[in-house]
Amino acid sequence: MTTPEVQAGLTMEIYEGFKLNQTKRWNAIVHPDVMTNSPAGRDIAGREALQSWIKAFHVAFDLRVDLIDHYLAGDRGLVTINLHWKHDRGAFFGLEPTGQSGTSIESFILQLKDGLVTHFTVADQSLDLAIYLHEQGMEMPRRATPPALIAG
């Protein structure tokens, strides 16, 4: 059985790695073939792709990342943040900075196997950032249908 300290350690590593743009520290806890999904892209394969996306985000945006909640239970985990952002540093996947700012409450939904994160899903609870990226021309996934635990 995993102790609460170990459980808190993994979710805090996810939070701090994202907040500090130190995702290389995830090498010990994120599977090399992790699958990532978010409002900005689906079925992104690999830890390096996830790390590169986050690095690009930090290069383009001035950020403050507040931790709202985190937990890990068995093979599922959650890290919820309030992301305060301003697009004023550089281009983000071809989108030039506008100086626009906002907040985005996001949850990182984690699935684990053998102690490693195998699925990293970003779920937005507020849409400032997703709407901004869409308005700037970023293509957003449509009609996404993840596998259901229970179809109903």
Side-chain angles (χ1 to χ4, degrees):
M1 181 173 171
T2 305
T3 67
E5 292 79 18
V6 169
Q7 291 177 346
L10 186 137
T11 53
M12 285 302 294
E13 276 295 296
I14 295 294
Y15 165 68
E16 290 175 1
F18 180 84
K19 173 186 170 182
L20 301 171
N21 194 22
Q22 296 177 351
T23 58
K24 291 295 181 193
R25 60 200 280 180
W26 292 355
N27 290 353
I29 59 171
V30 174
H31 194 280
D33 298 323
V34 66
M35 290 300 294
T36 303
N37 290 295
S38 80
R42 296 211 42 91
D43 300 323
I44 300 165
R47 183 175 58 216
E48 288 183 16
L50 173 60
Q51 291 168 325
S52 294
W53 197 95
I54 291 168
K55 183 176 287 300
F57 193 69
H58 276 270
V59 166
F61 290 84
D62 182 24
L63 301 172
R64 187 180 94 213
V65 185
D66 300 335
L67 180 65
I68 303 302
D69 199 1
H70 69 107
Y71 78 91
L72 183 70
D75 66 351
R76 306 280 177 181
L78 182 79
V79 176
T80 300
I81 61 170
N82 190 2
L83 180 63
H84 304 263
W85 57 270
K86 184 173 185 181
H87 189 192
D88 65 351
R89 289 188 173 175
F92 182 65
F93 293 102
L95 305 177
E96 293 299 323
T98 64
Q100 189 165 334
S101 63
T103 62
S104 185
I105 301 168
E106 301 188 357
S107 290
F108 306 147
I109 303 168
L110 312 172
Q111 291 181 21
L112 290 84
K113 183 175 180 182
D114 299 326
L116 296 177
V117 176
T118 59
H119 292 79
F120 191 113
T121 301
V122 179
D124 287 348
Q125 298 176 42
S126 63
L127 299 174
D128 280 3
L129 184 58
I131 290 170
Y132 170 74
L133 293 174
H134 177 72
E135 287 175 343
Q136 297 308 306
M138 182 173 272
E139 189 67 31
M140 298 293 179
R142 297 175 180 261
R143 294 191 171 87
T145 307
L149 290 175
I150 299 172

